[in-house]
């Protein structure tokens, strides 16, 4: 499933524009990862994770709050044995379910994901994959094939860095050959990671980067399965965030230990899910506003594209192909 049904779109509009509450619950479902990606901050600070009953109760509360989409992501959701039960619980509540994974365990577990609607697999390069992620790309591709065989639509999610900037065309071809969609976003130079890492893998050859993004735009125009809107690709080409961020108006961000945070960039704690989502939400309006007003912006595609959708930007409504 790639796009909102009219019914879901109406629910989303009601929740976000009338009730002024987020529609997506993005949940750090577990506290461990099987990779040590150099550009990722999450595995560096492992902590605790909620139990299955705690997650069920959060989902029940989220549904009453008006959440319509449940996204399971950090650190690596396929490491969680009870993932199928959690997805089933969300599905029974009428939520659309979504998963972001590194895909290493997908071959073994694709058959367990019958309650999953949207599957994103991170594929940040071809030749550079091993250097960036320390794993074997072929294992991930086998996982994607297994998921396709189970009937899943797959989105390959690529973070553009200095290491893979010359591989983007090849990645688009790879997505085409797998019958998958593909998204791109530039690497975010998180503060918690050493500058030496960013000097090595951050985007430094801006000429090559801009040409590569222009090439993606051209391919998108010619029908390649790139989900990003042209507005977004133009924005990342200049690497200047030019949009009003609505991340926290759209997405409720919950950490593995149950802390409600503003967003993945400002992991500012707002409260605990165990305190009740609506209570935390209502008590933090001022704080959330303050964070978004002082934020210089980021280019995470989920935040940018959804913020532009929130403002009904026509090109994004016509060309952004995921939810
Ligand atoms: C944090 S991971 C968690 C889910 C799963 N382990 C995975 O690898 O997809 C989610 C996404 O964040 C991306 N990511 C991690 N660090 C990033 C960074 N510094 N800049 C941009 N994206 C990043 C990953 O590439 C991945 O697509």
């Amino acid at each position: 499933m790639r796009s909102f049904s009219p019914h879901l779109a109406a629910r989303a509009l009601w929740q976000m524009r009338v009730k002024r509450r987020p529609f997506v619950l993005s949940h750090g479902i577990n506290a461990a990862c099987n990779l040590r990606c150099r550009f990722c901050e999450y595995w560096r600070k492992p902590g605790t994770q909620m139990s299955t009953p705690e997650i069920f109760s959060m989902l029940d509360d989220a549904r009453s709050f008006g959440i319509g989409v449940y996204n399971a992501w950090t650190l690596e959701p396929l490491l969680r044995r009870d993932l199928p039960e959690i997805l089933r619980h969300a599905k029974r509540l009428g939520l659309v379910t979504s998963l972001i994974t590194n895909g290493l365990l997908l071959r073994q577990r694709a058959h367990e994901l019958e309650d999953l609607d949207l599957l994103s697999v991170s594929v940040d390069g071809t030749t550079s994959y091993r250097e960036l992620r320390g794993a074997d790309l072929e294992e991930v591709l086998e996982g994607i094939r297994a998921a396709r065989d189970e009937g899943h639509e797959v989105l390959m999610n690529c973070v553009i860095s200095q290491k893979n900037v010359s591989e983007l065309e090849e990645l688009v071809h790879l997505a085409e050959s797998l019958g998958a969609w593909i998204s791109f976003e530039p690497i975010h130079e998180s503060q918690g990671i050493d500058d030496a890492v960013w000097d090595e893998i951050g985007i430094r050859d801006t000429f090559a980067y801009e040409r590569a993004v222009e090439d993606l735009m051209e391919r998108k125009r010619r029908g390649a399965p790139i989900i990003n809107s042209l507005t977004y690709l133009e924005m990342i080409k200049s690497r200047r965030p030019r949009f009003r961020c609505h991340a926290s108006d759209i997405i409720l961000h919950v950490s593995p230990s149950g802390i409600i945070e503003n967003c993945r960039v400002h992991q500012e704690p707002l409260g605990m899910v165990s305190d009740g989502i609506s209570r935390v939400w209502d008590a933090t309006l001022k704080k959330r506003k303050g964070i978004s007003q002082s934020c210089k912006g980021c280019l995470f595609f989920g935040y940018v594209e959804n913020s532009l959708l929130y403002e009904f930007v026509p090109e994004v409504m016509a060309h952004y192909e995921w939810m």
Side-chain angles (χ1 to χ4, degrees):
M1 190 185 111
R2 274 185 293 117
S3 54
F4 271 173
S5 67
H7 174 66
L8 197 65
R11 263 175 65 193
L13 282 175
W14 175 258
Q15 171 79 350
M16 291 189 293
R17 307 297 309 215
V18 180
K19 296 187 81 185
R20 303 229 157 251
R21 290 174 162 189
F23 193 60
V24 179
L25 166 60
S26 198
H27 177 211
I29 196 170
N30 78 327
C33 195
N34 46 359
L35 289 182
R36 296 287 177 267
C37 305
R38 299 178 62 201
F39 53 89
C40 184
E41 61 184 314
Y42 290 94
W43 59 266
R44 296 166 202 265
K45 39 183 181 187
T48 56
Q49 63 187 39
M50 283 189 272
S51 66
T52 320
E54 283 169 338
I55 294 179
F56 284 3
S57 139
M58 171 187 73
L59 289 169
D60 296 343
D61 188 22
R63 183 65 189 93
S64 314
F65 180 72
I67 292 288
V69 179
Y70 172 63
N71 175 49
W73 72 315
T74 65
L75 275 65
E76 173 43 46
L78 290 179
L79 284 175
R80 204 163 165 140
R81 288 254 52 96
D82 56 1
L83 179 67
E85 290 94 87
I86 294 170
L87 294 176
R88 189 167 318 122
H89 193 87
K91 207 68 208 150
R92 283 197 185 135
L93 291 168
L95 307 183
V96 170
T97 53
S98 157
L99 184 74
I100 305 177
T101 171
N102 61 35
L104 277 180
L105 295 171
L106 201 48
R107 189 168 56 83
Q108 292 95 301
R109 302 203 67 189
H111 67 281
E112 296 177 68
L113 303 177
E114 66 264 29
D115 289 305
L116 180 66
D117 296 311
L118 300 163
L119 173 61
S120 301
V121 183
S122 301
V123 182
D124 307 311
T126 51
T127 314
S128 63
Y129 184 88
R130 176 167 285 286
E131 186 186 348
L132 281 165
R133 290 205 163 233
D136 181 6
L137 177 61
E138 195 44 47
E139 276 183 55
V140 178
L141 300 184
E142 279 181 28
I144 293 177
R145 288 185 197 105
R148 297 284 295 127
D149 289 347
E150 292 288 335
H152 289 287
E153 270 202 272
V154 176
L155 171 66
M156 283 168 40
N157 175 23
C158 170
V159 172
I160 309 173
S161 67
Q162 189 60 49
K163 295 285 175 190
N164 66 15
V165 75
S166 62
E167 298 168 11
L168 307 190
E169 177 187 347
E170 207 182 335
L171 280 166
V172 174
H173 290 315
L174 184 60
E176 283 167 336
S177 72
L178 291 164
W181 294 83
I182 187 160
S183 67
F184 293 93
E185 61 192 337
I187 202 156
H188 180 85
E189 300 195 11
S190 319
Q191 287 182 343
I193 297 177
D194 211 84
D195 283 349
V197 172
W198 298 130
D199 286 344
E200 201 193 330
I201 62 179
I203 295 157
R204 297 293 181 266
D205 181 350
T206 52
F207 184 77
Y209 168 79
E210 284 171 18
R211 296 293 82 77
V213 177
E214 270 169 15
D215 181 68
L216 292 179
M217 291 171 76
E218 194 43 41
R219 284 176 196 282
K220 163 98 183 170
R221 287 191 194 96
R222 284 195 262 125
I226 299 169
I227 68 155
N228 307 105
S229 66
L230 293 168
T231 306
Y232 175 74
L233 293 171
E234 188 65 53
M235 199 186 296
I236 65 166
K237 187 179 135 195
S238 67
R239 292 198 295 156
R240 271 197 295 276
R242 279 173 311 222
F243 70 106
R244 186 157 168 235
C245 184
H246 292 289
S248 73
D249 298 323
I250 303 167
I251 302 166
L252 190 80
H253 195 87
V254 177
S255 78
S257 58
I259 303 170
I260 301 179
E261 296 172 340
N262 190 72
C263 63
R264 74 182 280 185
V265 176
H266 301 281
Q267 292 162 15
E268 194 74 40
L270 302 175
M272 299 297 296
V273 278
S274 52
D275 294 332
I277 295 174
S278 60
R279 191 182 303 171
V280 172
W281 186 251
D282 293 343
T284 54
L285 176 64
K286 219 167 137 200
K287 188 167 184 179
R288 287 183 275 110
K289 267 200 172 153
I291 296 170
S292 74
Q293 275 161 5
S294 64
C295 179
K296 293 193 182 68
C298 70
L299 289 167
F300 285 112
F301 86 88
Y303 290 171
V304 181
E305 303 269 21
N306 284 307
S307 292
L308 296 171
L309 281 180
Y310 188 90
E311 297 204 336
F312 304 111
V313 174
E315 193 277 327
V316 181
M317 291 172 80
H319 293 117
Y320 177 51
E321 313 228 27
W322 202 256
M323 43 177 266

